Amino acid sequence: MKSPKFAIPLALLAGFAQALMLTPAAAQPATAAAGAAAAKVSPVAPRKQQVQAIIDEAYAKFKGDTRGKNADYIPVLAKVNSNLFGIAAVSTDNQVVTAGDVKTAFSIQSIAKVFSLALAMEEQGADKVFEKIGSEPTGRAFNSPVAVVDMPTHTANPLVNAGAIATVSLISGKTPAEKWNKVLGFYSRVAGEKLALIDEVYKSEAATNTGNKALSYLLAKYDRIYSDPFQSVDVYTKECSVGVTALQLAKMGATLANNGMNPATGEQVIKRENVQEILSSMMMAGLYDGSGGWAWHVGLPAKSGVGGGLVAVMPGKGAIAVFAPPLDEAGNSVKGQEVIQYVANRLDLNLFSPASVGLK
């Protein structure tokens, strides 16, 4: 059952003109649809100047943090410059705040799982995806075969590898190439600009993805994969190898924050009714084994990738993305976590805090 919609208090409406990222006439989005989206800015979102100041603080504070190390089980990721560091925030009215290396492309990795889930839900509907994939945390590593065996659903959720491969298998396409082109086109629409495969990453992953192939056949044993197992793994490997920048990733997050409408293009890319289920999956399983601690300390739906990306969504307000390759033991960007927790605390963004809706 969908949650009831509550009326916005008049006191909050009165503060509408002070909302985040006040949009001067010269900065209005180019399309009429995007302009309409800008009219729906949260009345309790922080102002652009506040966001820029806090992000600048976070960038300076954590730039010198040398903890963590690059992922090395995918050989090409070990070669990425570990000093790269970028922060980008995009609001639901398409205002942008950045610091550092926000235009350097990196592989999206597991963050892709969020948007393949969205695409599968577009085609199958939320109930069918829930039935076939599930949405339960596994309590085990993201690539665990034991989790597949132990969980009653045998996939558990769409943000671990087994569930993500099964999600890809749900997406329609007469051939693997057709399915892959559909996935890449969908990601590009969410980002509002054309994205592309990083071929070097794809080749490196394809040469070392034996574990994911094993997961696909284990899923087949339980009838929990819905097209050819190895073809599904190949499309999954390609989606993880898509190149994004921190700025593009923030735009993808902002599309989720904006009820599925891209705030730059005005296109309704993701169905409004699917957004809450997508965000709930991100909250429960978005940071691998660190998801519970993240919910406790930060309280924002988020998704990480072993390429060093991390994106967090503030529904109705916007999204923040960080790129910093060194990871903790769970596979999450060390700087990314520190930055987003710092920004969320300074700007009262934690969804579990009354301050996030203006109640101080």
Side-chain angles (χ1 to χ4, degrees), residues 95-179:
Q95 300 237 8
V96 177
V97 170
T98 65
D101 303 307
V102 298
K103 294 185 178 181
T104 300
F106 58 94
S107 57
I108 192 170
Q109 295 299 328
S110 284
I111 303 171
K113 297 171 180 174
V114 172
F115 302 102
S116 288
L117 169 62
L119 178 55
M121 292 172 73
E122 293 292 304
E123 293 190 341
Q124 303 281 336
D127 291 343
K128 184 64 69 175
V129 171
F130 182 81
E131 173 191 332
K132 290 182 173 292
I133 307 298
S135 187
E136 297 297 333
T138 68
R140 296 184 183 273
F142 65 91
N143 56 356
S144 171
V146 177
V148 177
V149 174
D150 284 351
M151 295 294 290
T153 63
H154 298 297
T155 51
N157 72 70
L159 301 187
V160 295
N161 286 16
I165 294 166
T167 300
V168 167
S169 77
L170 281 177
I171 296 169
S172 64
K174 294 180 181 178
T175 65
E178 181 180 324
K179 182 179 292 193

Side-chain angles (χ1 to χ4, degrees), residues 66-309:
T66 59
R67 292 174 297 159
K69 66 175 185 177
N70 288 28
D72 55 10
Y73 69 94
I74 301 170
V76 71
L77 298 185
K79 301 176 184 178
V80 176
N81 183 351
S82 61
N83 294 317
L84 290 167
F85 180 33
I87 310 170
V90 176
S91 69
T92 54
D93 65 340
N94 197 38
Q95 300 237 8
V96 177
V97 170
T98 65
D101 303 307
V102 298
K103 294 185 178 181
T104 300
F106 58 94
S107 57
I108 192 170
Q109 295 299 328
S110 284
I111 303 171
K113 297 171 180 174
V114 172
F115 302 102
S116 288
L117 169 62
L119 178 55
M121 292 172 73
E122 293 292 304
E123 293 190 341
Q124 303 281 336
D127 291 343
K128 184 64 69 175
V129 171
F130 182 81
E131 173 191 332
K132 290 182 173 292
I133 307 298
S135 187
E136 297 297 333
T138 68
R140 296 184 183 273
F142 65 91
N143 56 356
S144 171
V146 177
V148 177
V149 174
D150 284 351
M151 295 294 290
T153 63
H154 298 297
T155 51
N157 72 70
L159 301 187
V160 295
N161 286 16
I165 294 166
T167 300
V168 167
S169 77
L170 281 177
I171 296 169
S172 64
K174 294 180 181 178
T175 65
E178 181 180 324
K179 182 179 292 193
W180 160 239
N181 288 330
K182 179 185 291 186
V183 168
L184 184 60
F186 184 76
Y187 289 8
S188 297
R189 290 165 56 209
V190 177
E193 53 190 282
K194 188 175 182 179
L195 303 179
L197 181 77
I198 302 178
D199 193 57
E200 182 183 17
V201 175
Y202 167 64
K203 289 178 179 176
S204 184
E205 290 204 47
T208 56
N209 67 357
T210 305
N212 284 334
K213 290 178 179 177
L215 287 175
S216 75
Y217 260 77
L218 188 57
L219 290 170
K221 173 184 177 181
Y222 296 108
D223 296 321
R224 300 296 287 189
I225 195 164
Y226 310 105
S227 59
D228 182 86
F230 279 13
Q231 290 179 0
S232 298
V233 170
D234 188 60
V235 175
Y236 169 75
T237 304
K238 285 179 177 175
E239 75 176 31
C240 290
S241 305
V242 169
V244 292
T245 65
L247 181 54
Q248 290 168 334
L249 189 57
K251 291 177 180 178
M252 296 174 83
T255 297
L256 285 169
N258 197 37
N259 253 341
M261 178 184 287
N262 185 300
T265 66
E267 180 185 2
Q268 188 72 45
V269 188
I270 299 169
K271 291 179 181 176
R272 295 169 60 93
E273 61 267 27
N274 290 342
V275 170
Q276 65 188 40
E277 285 90 353
I278 295 167
L279 295 181
S280 73
S281 294
M282 293 171 70
M283 182 66 82
M284 289 187 293
L287 270 79
Y288 307 122
D289 299 349
S291 299
W294 177 264
W296 181 285
H297 293 293
V298 185
L300 289 174
K303 186 69 191 82
S304 65
V306 295

Side-chain angles (χ1 to χ4, degrees), residues 303-325:
K303 186 69 191 82
S304 65
V306 295
L310 179 60
V311 61
V313 177
M314 295 79 75
K317 299 176 183 178
I320 179 170
V322 181
F323 169 49

